Amino acid sequence: MSTPPTGPAAGPQRRGRGRRPAHEVRADVLRAAGALLLGGGLTALTFDRVARESGVSRTTLHKWWPSVGSLALDGYFHTVEDTLAFPDTDDLRADITTQLRHFVELMTTTPAGRLLTELIGRSQTDPDLAAEYRRLYSSARRQLATDRFRRAQEAGQIRPGIDVRVLVDQLWGAVYHRLLIPDEPVDEAFADALVDNLFDGVVQTP
Amino acid sequence: MSTPPTGPAAGPQRRGRGRRPAHEVRADVLRAAGALLLGGGLTALTFDRVARESGVSRTTLHKWWPSVGSLALDGYFHTVEDTLAFPDTDDLRADITTQLRHFVELMTTTPAGRLLTELIGRSQTDPDLAAEYRRLYSSARRQLATDRFRRAQEAGQIRPGIDVRVLVDQLWGAVYHRLLIPDEPVDEAFADALVDNLFDGVVQTP
C-alpha cells in the first residue's frame, strides 16, 4: 500500500483512504488509538486493532510509529488535549483548580491513570520508552502548564522570582506521586489542597 | 539450621552466629543488604551475596524476607534512616531544607535514586512488590515527614487548616516526579525552590 500524499485533499468523489492528506489519516489513527486506550487501557492497544479501527494499513502505522508505546503516547496526548486544556480567564487560581480537577478525574475515573503509571513504570528500565514518553507526552504537557504560569507571571499574578517549572512538579507531579505510590487517596480535596498550599503558603504568619 | 533465639545475647565466648539474638542477626543482614544496594544498586543484591556478607544462612533469609525486593526495601530503609533523619530545631524551614537537600544528594549521587525508581517502576505491574514497597518503605518515610510537620503545626508554625500529608507529595513527591520522568534536573536549587514555594506562597500580593 502506498503512503498518504501530503498534497491537498482529493475531491469528495475520492473515497479511498490512500488519497486523503497525511494529517487527516494521522488524526484518524490517533483518534482510534486514544479511544482504544481510554476504553481498555494499554492492553487494548495493538497495531492490528488500530489498523482495523482506523482503516489505515499496518505498514503505514509501523512507519509513523516505531512501537506500540509511541502510538499509545501520541494517541493519548491528542485524545486528552481538550480535556486537559488550561482555561485562561483573569482568575489564575480558578483556572488552575479547574484544570487540576479535570486531570485528577481523568486519572481516577478512566483507564488513563493506569495507562500512564504503567508507561512510567516500564520506562524506568526501558530507555527507548523513557525517551518516547518525554518526547511524545510529558515535555509537551509540561510546556502547556509552564506557558500558562508564565503568562500569569508576566501579568503580575505570580511573583517574579518563582521558577514556574517547579510548580509543575508540585501540582501534577504530586498527583503522579500518589498514583505511582498509592499511600494516600487522589481526589478533588487533594487537588484543591495542592493549589491552596502554593497560592496561600503554609506557614503561620504572626 | 536452627533460627536465631530471641533471648539475651550469649556471652563473648560464644562466637557461633546461631546463638546471637535475632535482632542482632537481623541488623547484620539489613546492613549487608544496604551496603550492597548503595554499592551497586538492585542488581548487586542477591540472597547468596547477602548470606555470604552477613554470615546468615539462606534459609533464615528466605524465612524473614520472602523476596529479594522485600530484603532490598527493608535493608535500604534502615541504611538511609540516619542520612534522612529530620533535624528538629526551632527553625522548621532550615530543618526541612537540610533534610530535603540530603534526600536529593542521596538520590543523585548514590545508586539509591536508580534503586527506588526501578522498584517503583516494577511495582506498577507487580501488586505484591507494590504492597511491600508501601509496607517496608514509603508509608514509614511518609510517617516520619508528617510527624515532623505535625509537631510544627502544634507549635503554631504551620497554619491549622493545612493537611500536612499533602506537603509530603509537594516536597519529596515532586523530587520523585523528576527522578521518574527526567524532563528537568534534580539539584539543590530545585530542593530549595520546593521549600520556598510552599513556605512563601507563589502569588504576588498587592
Side-chain angles (χ1 to χ4, degrees), chain B residues 23-93:
Chain B
H23 73 268
E24 281 185 19
V25 176
R26 190 165 173 276
D28 278 357
V29 171
L30 294 178
R31 205 162 22 240
L36 286 169
L37 286 167
L38 287 193
L42 200 51
T43 52
L45 192 79
T46 63
F47 278 111
D48 276 335
R49 286 188 73 173
V50 174
R52 205 157 53 230
E53 301 285 330
S54 67
V56 175
S57 76
R58 278 189 55 130
T59 311
T60 302
L61 295 182
H62 280 290
K63 200 172 65 187
W64 290 355
W65 293 276
S67 67
V68 79
S70 64
L71 179 54
L73 286 162
D74 211 0
Y76 179 74
F77 180 87
H78 286 86
T79 301
V80 300
E81 205 169 7
D82 290 342
T83 307
L84 296 184
F86 283 87
D88 202 346
T89 71
D90 281 342
D91 188 344
L92 173 68
R93 186 174 188 144

Side-chain angles (χ1 to χ4, degrees), chain A residues 92 114 117-118 120-125 130 133-135 138-139 142 156-160 162-163 165-184 189-190 193-205, chain B residues 92 114 117-118 120-125 130 133-135 138-139 142 156-160 162-163 165-184 189-190 193-205:
Chain A
L92 173 68
R114 176 116 183 82
T117 54
E118 203 174 311
I120 294 166
R122 283 197 209 172
S123 74
Q124 301 314 308
T125 47
Y133 191 89
R134 283 151 58 197
R135 187 174 70 82
S138 63
S139 65
R142 280 193 90 96
Q157 297 165 328
I158 297 276
R159 288 191 290 112
I162 300 293
D163 178 352
R165 292 169 300 186
V166 176
L167 300 180
V168 176
D169 303 290
Q170 293 188 291
L171 293 169
W172 299 273
V175 174
Y176 279 112
H177 184 238
R178 287 201 179 184
L179 290 169
L180 289 159
I181 311 166
D183 283 311
E184 299 286 345
F190 178 54
L194 293 171
V195 175
D196 291 347
N197 288 349
L198 287 168
F199 277 66
D200 299 331
V202 300
V203 292
Q204 184 75 284
T205 43
Chain B
L92 173 68
R114 176 116 183 84
T117 55
E118 202 173 314
I120 294 167
R122 282 197 210 174
S123 75
Q124 301 313 309
T125 47
Y133 191 89
R134 283 152 58 197
R135 187 174 69 83
S138 62
S139 66
R142 280 194 90 96
Q157 297 165 327
I158 297 276
R159 288 190 290 112
I162 301 292
D163 178 352
R165 292 169 300 186
V166 176
L167 300 180
V168 176
D169 303 290
Q170 293 188 289
L171 294 170
W172 298 275
V175 175
Y176 279 113
H177 184 238
R178 286 200 178 185
L179 290 169
L180 289 159
I181 310 166
D183 283 311
E184 300 285 347
F190 178 54
L194 293 172
V195 175
D196 291 346
N197 288 349
L198 287 168
F199 277 66
D200 298 331
V202 300
V203 293
Q204 184 75 285
T205 43

Side-chain angles (χ1 to χ4, degrees), chain A residues 61-84:
Chain A
L61 295 182
H62 280 289
K63 201 172 65 188
W64 291 355
W65 293 277
S67 67
V68 79
S70 63
L71 180 54
L73 286 160
D74 211 0
Y76 179 74
F77 180 87
H78 287 87
T79 302
V80 299
E81 205 168 7
D82 290 342
T83 307
L84 297 184

